[in-house]
Amino acid sequence: MLRTESYAPDLLADIYAPEQAGAGRPAILLIHGGGWGAGGRAEFAELARWFAAQGAVAIAIDYRLSTAGHRWPAQRIDVQRALAWIDSHAFELGIDRTRIAALGGSAGGHLAAWLAVDNATGVRVKAVVSLWGPWDLTLPDAELQPDAIGMLETLLGPGRPGAREASPYFHISRESAPVLLIHGLDDPLVPPSQAQRACARYRETGARCELLELPSEGHGLSRNEDVVRVANAVRAFLIRELLQAPSSPGAQHTVR
């Protein structure tokens, strides 16, 4: 069951709900990729339908794009607004407002990571899945592809001012939401060290992180067996974090 709503002026959300009406369901906020400057909410339509079939309410959103002149922190503000909208409409959507997770890929993984570490708003996510998303935007040009440099300059401006503030890595704390990080070890656009360092930082602070590393995968998924592996990992993580009691703080699991 699909409907489209406006969660903020000129910003839309597609809501995928289970066929049968219900209440107290978990919710998944889906955040598309595209280098902060392209893409749209339809990117995760298939995944949203899968979540709805599992009994969750999936909400796929648009956000303001850097290529349209919207520099950081517009994108962070938009995902925060989307989360607040879900929280305020939880009753009518049949959502348990204490069981909201976020999932994003690439640039969307960076924005989902922001929701994991964000303590500035009253609404918090219970868990986050970041698919090959960057955590540290301060990497020197020598460690980045030209495409990545261009995306960051468009997002932050020439010289990338505010890169540290825009990096979830530097905001990780013990209060950060549990995360599942999934990253290809051959990713040429977002180095796998981004996920490795973020998970290590999580462990240092006592927050919970799981890391799934995919040999022979780049920026995204190219092999059917890895699609199945990722789907199983995401499902198990969200069931554990949204439906079951948490494990001990500071846990870190790395799977290859």
Side-chain angles (χ1 to χ4, degrees), residues 3-4 22 27 29 44 52-53 76 87 94 117 120 131 157 170 181 207 216-217:
R3 76 187 218 228
T4 301
L29 172 60
F44 280 132
R76 184 190 70 194
D87 181 76
V117 304
L131 309 171
F170 297 105
L181 308 185
S216 303
E217 289 287 9

Side-chain angles (χ1 to χ4, degrees), residues 126-149:
K126 187 79 179 294
V128 161
V129 179
S130 178
L131 309 171
W132 38 92
W135 283 74
D136 181 0
L137 306 189
T138 68
L139 294 183
D141 288 359
E143 297 182 30
L144 297 170
Q145 282 196 336
D147 285 349
I149 295 171

Side-chain angles (χ1 to χ4, degrees), residues 24-29 51 55-57 95-103 124-129 177-178 208 234-247:
R25 302 182 187 275
I28 317 293
L29 172 60
F51 276 125
V57 178
I95 290 170
D96 179 351
R97 59 197 299 268
T98 69
R99 294 194 291 150
I100 303 173
L103 179 150
R124 299 293 308 278
V125 291
K126 187 79 179 294
V128 161
V129 179
R208 299 200 309 279
V234 169
R235 185 176 187 274
F237 172 77
L238 291 177
I239 287 175
R240 182 164 56 253
E241 296 299 335
L242 298 183
L243 302 180
Q244 299 178 4
S247 58

Side-chain angles (χ1 to χ4, degrees), residues 2 89 109 127 140 149 205 207 209 225 234 238 252-253:
L2 169 66
H89 290 77
I149 295 171
T205 63
C209 175
E225 57 265 37
V234 169
L238 291 177
Q252 179 188 28
H253 307 282

Side-chain angles (χ1 to χ4, degrees), residues 23-255:
R25 302 182 187 275
I28 317 293
L29 172 60
L30 301 174
I31 309 170
H32 70 83
W36 303 279
R41 65 190 188 279
E43 175 185 330
F44 280 132
E46 183 175 352
L47 182 61
R49 285 190 286 267
W50 181 79
F51 276 125
Q54 306 299 310
V57 178
I59 302 102
I61 63 166
D62 288 331
Y63 53 86
R64 286 174 289 175
L65 301 177
S66 60
T67 50
H70 300 293
R71 287 184 177 166
W72 186 266
Q75 297 73 23
R76 184 190 70 194
I77 291 170
D78 290 346
V79 297
Q80 290 171 329
R81 292 158 91 188
L83 181 60
W85 184 89
I86 294 169
D87 181 76
S88 65
H89 290 77
F91 179 78
E92 66 183 82
L93 296 174
I95 290 170
D96 179 351
R97 59 197 299 268
T98 69
R99 294 194 291 150
I100 303 173
L103 179 150
S106 192
H110 164 260
L111 297 175
W114 251 108
L115 294 179
V117 304
D118 182 18
N119 293 317
T121 60
V123 184
R124 299 293 308 278
V125 291
K126 187 79 179 294
V128 161
V129 179
S130 178
L131 309 171
W132 38 92
W135 283 74
D136 181 0
L137 306 189
T138 68
L139 294 183
D141 288 359
E143 297 182 30
L144 297 170
Q145 282 196 336
D147 285 349
I149 295 171
M151 293 173 190
L152 289 170
E153 296 261 335
T154 303
L155 178 70
L156 300 170
R160 305 204 290 274
R164 184 181 177 91
E165 186 280 330
S167 300
Y169 175 82
F170 297 105
H171 301 270
I172 296 170
S173 71
R174 185 177 179 83
E175 289 71 40
S176 296
V179 293
L180 169 62
L181 308 185
I182 300 174
H183 218 108
L185 291 178
D186 290 337
D187 191 335
L189 188 63
V190 179
S193 59
Q194 290 265 348
Q196 294 161 352
R197 290 176 55 229
C199 222
R201 179 63 180 155
Y202 253 75
R203 181 186 60 212
E204 291 169 3
T205 63
R208 299 200 309 279
C209 175
E210 295 183 26
L211 174 60
L212 174 59
E213 297 178 318
L214 302 171
S216 303
E217 289 287 9
H219 194 68
L221 299 175
S222 60
R223 304 191 304 175
N224 288 336
E225 57 265 37
D226 285 331
V227 172
V228 173
R229 191 179 180 197
V230 166
N232 289 337
V234 169
R235 185 176 187 274
F237 172 77
L238 291 177
I239 287 175
R240 182 164 56 253
E241 296 299 335
L242 298 183
L243 302 180
Q244 299 178 4
S247 58
S248 60
Q252 179 188 28
H253 307 282
T254 301
V255 181

